[in-house]
């Protein structure tokens, strides 16, 4: 079981743990430390369940088993089928730029702040195995072409945020539900306004100065998700290469904003739109304006 810590803040309690390579927080508008600990343990268990099910690092995860079974039809449980259906929607809405089969590009790229770029030969060997359009997806079955792998890293954390909030909300009657904020590494979802109608103030990270905020967003309900290159990038000859990769070319997207934050009804949608905006490169803001949602962009 994941270790959790609970502390008391101003007019709220804070539960903390680590999951999905991110610091995770549960903010509760209550002074009840025992309740906060119970809910934080529930949240940590749910995050751990999702990570164990969909991590590409675990050989026995559902995702790894699907990848190992490429080349033949495989059965899908309901939760996995719903996630892959959402991934299909992401692919369609992004004109093929948001593609969960592009994770194998990690074999060519290591975004560790160095100046080591992938070679065109490396990318040419991988590109034939990328392309969601090659996947055959039925309501409860999937067929991945041999040599293809799926990677849910682009949606799993945001999905976990939504699932954890859903789980915590279920512990209360509607009339007794406190304001809850679930925050996994800057991707967050809020249950309801605070009792006095005030906002939760959320800082948006400065991509040029990690752990420093450049602005604060007021959140009462709904979700925020951020995508950017503050931690994962390459730098060669004065050019910064983002870890956001174009699945059609294998190369980092050029002329993209440093960071995009999107507000949406749920974290899964917010995260998809933030990442898809970055994939648009110089057209990121035009894409965001067309969505009709609030956003914050750092050039």
């Amino acid at each position: 079981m994941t270790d959790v810590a609970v502390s008391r803040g101003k007019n709220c309690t804070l539960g903390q743990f680590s999951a999905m390579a991110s610091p995770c927080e549960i903010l509760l508008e209550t002074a009840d430390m025992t309740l906060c600990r119970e809910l934080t343990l529930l949240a940590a268990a749910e995050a751990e369940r999702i990570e164990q099910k969909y991590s590409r690092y675990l050989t026995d995860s559902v995702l790894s088993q699907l990848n190992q079974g490429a080349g033949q039809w495989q059965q899908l449980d309901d939760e996995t089928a719903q996630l892959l259906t959402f991934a299909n929607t992401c692919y369609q809405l992004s004109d093929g730029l948001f593609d969960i089969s592009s994770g194998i590009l990690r074999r060519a790229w290591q975004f560790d702040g160095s100046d080591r770029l992938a070679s065109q030969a490396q990318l040419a060997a991988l590109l034939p195995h990328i392309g969601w359009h090659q996947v055959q997806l039925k309501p409860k079955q999937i067929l991945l072409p041999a040599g293809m792998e799926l990677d849910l890293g682009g949606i799993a954390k945001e999905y976990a945020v939504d699932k954890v909030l859903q789980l915590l909300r279920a512990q209360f009657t509607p009339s007794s539900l406190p304001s809850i904020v679930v925050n996994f590494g800057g991707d967050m979802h809020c249950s309801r306004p605070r009792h006095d109608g005030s906002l939760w103030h959320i800082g948006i990270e400065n991509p040029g100065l990690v752990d420093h905020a450049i602005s604060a967003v007021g959140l009462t309900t709904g979700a925020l998700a951020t995508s950017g290159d503050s931690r994962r990038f390459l730098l060669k000859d004065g050019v910064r290469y983002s870890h956001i990769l174009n699945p059609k070319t294998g190369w980092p997207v050029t002329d993209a904003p440093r960071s995009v934050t999107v507000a949406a009804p749920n974290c899964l949608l917010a995260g998809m739109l933030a990442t898809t905006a970055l994939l648009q490169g110089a057209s990121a803001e035009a894409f965001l304006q067309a969505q009709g949602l609030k956003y914050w962009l750092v050039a």
Side-chain angles (χ1 to χ4, degrees), residues 122-196:
Q122 288 176 298
L123 299 178
L126 297 172
L127 288 174
H129 302 295
I130 298 172
W132 177 257
H133 63 279
Q134 302 179 61
V135 175
Q136 297 184 58
L137 182 65
K138 295 182 179 180
K140 297 297 288 288
Q141 290 181 301
I142 191 170
L143 174 59
L144 303 179
M148 181 177 282
E149 294 182 8
L150 302 182
D151 187 336
L152 293 175
I155 59 177
K157 180 157 65 79
E158 293 86 350
Y159 174 71
V161 168
D162 290 337
K163 289 294 288 184
V164 164
L165 183 60
Q166 179 184 22
L167 178 65
L168 298 187
R169 290 174 67 113
Q171 310 308 308
F172 300 89
T173 63
S175 61
S176 67
L177 178 69
S179 185
I180 304 170
V181 177
V182 177
N183 177 4
F184 285 11
D187 295 330
M188 60 198 70
H189 197 164
C190 181
S191 65
R192 48 154 289 168
R194 302 188 72 168
H195 293 310
D196 64 359

Side-chain angles (χ1 to χ4, degrees), residues 7-110:
S7 58
R8 181 168 288 143
K10 184 179 179 180
N11 302 320
C12 68
T13 52
L14 172 67
Q16 297 174 296
F17 58 94
S18 295
M20 300 183 175
S22 297
C24 301
E25 297 180 343
I26 308 298
L27 275 164
L28 288 168
E29 193 175 17
T30 176
D32 190 333
M33 296 281 284
T34 300
L35 175 62
C36 182
R37 180 172 179 79
E38 291 174 356
L39 295 183
T40 304
L41 285 169
L42 278 177
E46 178 68 353
E48 183 178 32
R49 178 191 73 82
I50 294 171
E51 183 171 13
Q52 290 183 347
K53 186 170 183 177
Y54 296 118
S55 172
R56 62 177 172 83
Y57 298 104
L58 302 176
T59 57
D60 60 346
S61 71
V62 167
L63 181 68
S64 293
Q65 291 171 3
L66 288 177
N67 290 337
Q68 293 161 16
Q72 59 186 343
W73 281 101
Q74 301 180 76
Q75 293 296 123
L76 299 172
D77 64 83
D78 289 341
E79 183 176 41
T80 304
Q82 290 172 3
L83 266 180
L84 294 181
T85 298
F86 178 77
N88 178 67
T89 300
C90 295
Y91 181 82
Q92 302 298 332
L93 292 178
S94 66
D95 293 326
L97 291 177
F98 195 115
D99 189 334
I100 65 169
S101 71
S102 65
I104 60 171
L105 288 169
R106 66 181 177 275
R107 299 178 189 175
W109 294 98
Q110 298 291 327

